[in-house]
Amino acid sequence: MISITDLHKSYPPRKASGRPVQALRGVSLEVADGEIYGVVGTSGAGKSTLIRCVNLLERPTSGRITVAGRDLTTVSEGELRTARHGIGMIFQHFNVLSSRTVQQNVEFGLEITGVPRAARRIRSAEILELVGLGDRASAYPSQLSGGQKQRVGIARALAGNPKVLLSDEATSSLDPETTEQILDLLKTLNAELGLTILLITHEMEVVKRICDSAALIEGGRIVESGKVIDLLNTPGSKIAHALFPLGESHGTPGNTVIEIMYAGHLADDPIVARLSREFGIDVNILGAAVEFVSDKRVGRMRLELPGDLARNEAPIALLRESGLFVEAPAVNAE
Amino acid sequence: MIFEWNTMLPILGKAIAETFQMISIALVFTIIFGLLIGILLVATDEDGLYDAPLGSRRLGVLVHGVLGFVVNIGRSLPFIILMVVLIPFTRVAVGTSIGPIAASVPLSIAAIPFFARLVEISLREVDSGLIEAAKSLGATRRSIVRNVLLAEARPSIVLGLSTSVISLLNYSAVAGTIGAGGIGDMAIRYGYQRYDNAYLVTTIVILIVVVQLVQIVANRLARRLSHR
Ligand SMILES: Nc1ncnc2c1ncn2[C@@H]1O[C@H](COP(=O)(O)OP(=O)(O)OP(=O)(O)O)[C@@H](O)[C@H]1O
Ligand SMILES: [Mg+2]
């Protein structure tokens, strides 16, 4: 649905003597139809620049951006406006118009596309109902809470039935509880409307809760990307480690420390008990995390097996045979 | 000090009518051109909506620079000098340089740059995020100017307008001294030259009341328009 190829963006230097800022250095990304794709990264990594390039609020220096099969980097200004009708966007600070009521805000995009008044009324009522603001249509944004303002933002973005929603840190200025509600709403909209969502965030919680796929951006480059479930099974995945921090315990010298990851039905297998039973060894759990990632139960565990790696080949093989990803370092040194 | 209302009222009535006339005419031009220039100043600035009119950033820089320069000239001349300098232009424009209609020419030319700057300041205060949101919805520039910039800045522009009206009132009294008529003229002619303090006091009272009224109405209106 969204295809980004070798995207570069550099900003001209702030001072005449300075160097240009290279915010994006060759980003490529594929967002499949109907999925929720999260891009995470630290401050200054280029997240905002990236998402703003997708609907060309920011013009990339080079590279291609295709949304719904259309290359946006080559279209005229008028065609770009038309294309934007099919790409909704929501923002960290909501950006709703204080001079308009909730309903008028939602109708703004419809006014732009020339929808007649009566049809606008019907559509705005419908979409406000969908985002849970059916009773606040005539309120002004100043009378709403942050979460409600973001719902207005979402309703406004979706009023024109776009196929794609871009979210620029949409929950970053909300409290945890409201964040959850907004994320659940996005998930619902994704499922019910088949909406493709590309979001950027610095909160791993967002990825964990709603994303099907994720990418990690560092210094203007994508350093890791894929389906979240697959990333969890990828050796050394930074996203996986950030999603499931296992604490700092690294066991006793001389023993073998392994990390295993499991997803879906496997999570129900009593692995540790099985190891003890079949090999008669005492397995020490150093850290564990079980979470739901886009409705699938997944987990990571750091285990300490007695003795060096050579002594533990059989248990590790058993784990691998049962479909688990096992990350086994060399024998615990020191 | 004796108030002889029988002789004073007709004189006062005529003076107020003249002042009202010159200010009203000037206000119409001030609103139209002040808004236009204020919008252009913001839009042609760097990263503005029309920073590259006809696809040329140079043209944008030029328009912005020229407008800014002209506005500054208009603002740097004291009104009395501006008025004298403009006499030939006024004669060409309205056929005479005397009377309230003639006075509305320099009044407009003084108030337009003043109001334009106030409009510029109000528009700059509109959160750029709102403009982005409108762009993301596929809004045209014209729609952004109308539905975002002007709509969001409306309360602040109303307050700027009241300040401009009060300045116009001030200028109009000065214009009175060179044959524009109005209450300024009356105050000078009867109050100053004939030592009749009743005219001076009446003028002062009227000015104070009018300024207060303008401000109160503007504040109310601004509050009504503001939904922040
Ligand atoms: N308009 C601009 N002009 C110049 N440099 C910019 C501009 N916008 C962003 N940058 C620079 O580009 C880099 C990436 O910025 P960006 O806003 O995309 O980061 P981010 O990942 O969104 O960070 P944050 O989480 O803090 O919002 C930064 O070094 C930033 O200073
Ligand atoms: Mg950002």
Side-chain angles (χ1 to χ4, degrees):
Chain A
M1 182 53 83
I2 303 173
S3 165
I4 299 172
T5 320
D6 199 25
L7 195 67
H8 287 260
K9 172 72 190 180
S10 59
Y11 291 105
R14 292 259 158 81
K15 286 177 290 182
S17 57
R19 290 148 155 255
V21 182
Q22 300 226 306
L24 298 178
R25 311 160 184 246
V27 169
S28 298
L29 208 67
E30 292 291 331
V31 182
D33 203 347
E35 77 171 335
I36 303 185
Y37 198 114
V39 177
V40 284
T42 51
S43 185
K47 303 183 297 291
S48 296
T49 306
L50 173 61
I51 200 155
R52 289 159 48 80
C53 278
V54 175
N55 60 357
L56 257 67
L57 286 178
E58 208 75 73
R59 193 157 273 283
T61 313
S62 68
R64 276 158 52 92
I65 293 155
T66 317
V67 179
R70 182 143 206 215
D71 184 353
L72 297 184
T73 48
T74 57
V75 302
S76 72
E77 203 181 316
E79 288 171 316
L80 177 60
R81 277 200 302 272
T82 311
R84 281 173 176 164
H85 299 321
I87 310 171
M89 188 169 194
I90 54 176
F91 304 87
Q92 177 172 5
H93 299 295
F94 323 128
N95 295 349
V96 292
L97 295 166
S98 71
S99 55
R100 287 175 168 237
T101 62
V102 166
Q103 179 185 347
Q104 289 166 340
N105 263 289
V106 174
E107 288 184 15
F108 187 26
L110 302 173
E111 287 169 26
I112 292 167
T113 48
V115 177
R117 175 185 292 256
R120 288 203 307 260
R121 279 299 110 89
I122 294 169
R123 178 62 184 150
S124 64
E126 187 179 271
I127 194 89
L128 280 173
E129 204 59 54
L130 192 59
V131 302
L133 280 181
D135 53 341
R136 302 310 306 270
S138 55
Y140 281 93
S142 60
Q143 301 162 317
L144 303 180
S145 69
Q148 288 175 320
K149 282 185 203 165
Q150 193 59 287
R151 285 170 195 270
V152 177
I154 293 170
R156 178 178 65 181
L158 298 184
N161 277 315
K163 297 267 173 302
V164 173
L165 181 69
L166 306 175
S167 160
D168 185 352
E169 301 268 10
T171 57
S172 298
S173 43
L174 301 173
D175 61 58
E177 200 177 316
T178 315
T179 293
E180 280 191 14
Q181 292 166 359
I182 294 292
L183 291 179
D184 288 348
L185 174 62
L186 290 178
K187 184 85 208 170
T188 309
L189 294 169
N190 161 258
E192 285 183 8
L193 309 175
L195 188 68
T196 304
I197 303 179
L198 173 61
L199 61 85
I200 62 160
T201 180
H202 63 268
E203 297 166 320
M204 273 297 169
E205 210 36 55
V206 174
V207 174
K208 196 186 283 183
R209 204 171 171 94
I210 64 169
C211 290
D212 303 306
S213 298
L216 177 65
I217 184 169
E218 274 176 8
R221 288 195 181 86
I222 301 281
V223 294
E224 212 181 302
S225 66
K227 294 254 172 227
V228 175
I229 291 281
D230 296 340
L231 288 173
L232 290 174
N233 292 326
T234 304
S237 160
K238 292 185 185 176
I239 294 179
H241 281 255
L243 281 174
F244 296 116
L246 290 179
E248 292 305 312
S249 172
H250 291 284
T252 324
N255 290 340
T256 305
V257 175
I258 62 172
E259 284 189 9
I260 60 176
M261 305 202 199
Y262 49 93
H265 68 284
L266 286 167
D268 300 325
D269 261 17
I271 320 152
V272 174
R274 217 172 134 200
L275 282 183
S276 304
R277 205 169 54 232
E278 296 198 11
F279 297 95
I281 55 178
D282 280 335
V283 178
N284 187 17
I285 300 174
L286 298 175
V290 180
E291 301 270 359
F292 285 89
V293 172
S294 36
D295 297 331
K296 291 195 194 73
R297 187 167 163 203
V298 295
R300 283 177 65 218
M301 214 184 260
R302 185 182 295 138
L303 302 178
E304 183 180 27
L305 310 177
D308 61 21
L309 187 61
R311 282 186 49 196
N312 286 302
E313 270 166 12
I316 290 174
L318 171 80
L319 291 171
R320 288 195 169 133
E321 268 163 35
S322 59
L324 298 175
F325 169 71
V326 182
E327 196 179 346
V331 180
N332 206 340
E334 291 164 278
Chain B
M1 183 169 65
I2 301 154
F3 286 87
E4 288 176 27
W5 293 110
N6 285 344
T7 49
M8 198 158 119
L9 274 183
I11 296 171
L12 189 63
K14 181 166 172 282
I16 290 176
E18 285 167 346
T19 297
F20 186 77
Q21 189 181 14
M22 64 179 108
I23 289 185
S24 308
I25 297 172
L27 197 57
V28 170
F29 286 100
T30 301
I31 292 174
I32 295 172
F33 289 100
L35 278 176
L36 196 67
I37 294 172
I39 292 169
L40 280 175
L41 276 172
V42 174
T44 56
D45 201 2
E46 207 178 332
D47 293 327
L49 279 177
Y50 290 95
D51 63 351
L54 308 174
S56 157
R57 175 66 193 125
R58 280 216 186 137
L59 183 59
V61 171
L62 185 75
V63 171
H64 186 77
V66 168
L67 279 178
F69 185 68
V70 170
V71 162
N72 279 344
I73 291 184
R75 303 247 287 119
S76 52
L77 296 185
F79 181 69
I80 192 151
I81 295 176
L82 188 73
M83 197 171 60
V84 173
V85 169
L86 283 175
I87 285 176
F89 173 72
T90 305
R91 235 182 237 131
V92 173
V94 295
T96 172
S97 64
I98 294 179
I101 292 178
S104 69
V105 175
L107 284 177
S108 306
I109 288 178
I112 288 169
F114 182 72
F115 183 52
R117 279 288 182 220
L118 295 180
V119 170
E120 182 194 2
I121 293 169
S122 304
L123 296 182
R124 279 192 198 288
E125 252 147 48
V126 174
D127 185 351
S128 61
L130 299 181
I131 298 171
E132 295 234 304
K135 280 187 185 165
S136 79
L137 289 167
T140 59
R141 289 186 254 243
R142 181 193 289 265
S143 163
I144 294 175
V145 168
R146 225 185 54 189
N147 293 299
V148 180
L149 283 179
L150 289 177
E152 290 288 312
R154 212 160 35 192
S156 161
I157 289 175
V158 164
L159 291 177
L161 191 61
S162 72
T163 309
S164 304
V165 170
I166 291 166
S167 289
L168 273 174
L169 206 58
N170 187 350
Y171 298 154
S172 79
V174 179
T177 61
I178 66 160
I183 53 174
D185 178 41
M186 180 191 78
I188 297 285
R189 200 182 311 211
Y190 296 90
Y192 178 66
Q193 287 161 359
R194 297 190 195 166
Y195 307 106
D196 190 341
N197 282 341
Y199 283 89
L200 272 183
V201 170
T202 311
T203 304
I204 289 169
V205 170
I206 289 174
L207 285 176
I208 290 175
V209 169
V210 169
V211 168
Q212 297 292 345
L213 276 180
V214 168
Q215 199 60 57
I216 289 171
V217 169
N219 287 349
R220 288 237 175 115
L221 187 59
R223 204 170 316 136
R224 265 258 301 278
L225 290 173
S226 171
H227 299 286
R228 278 178 198 251

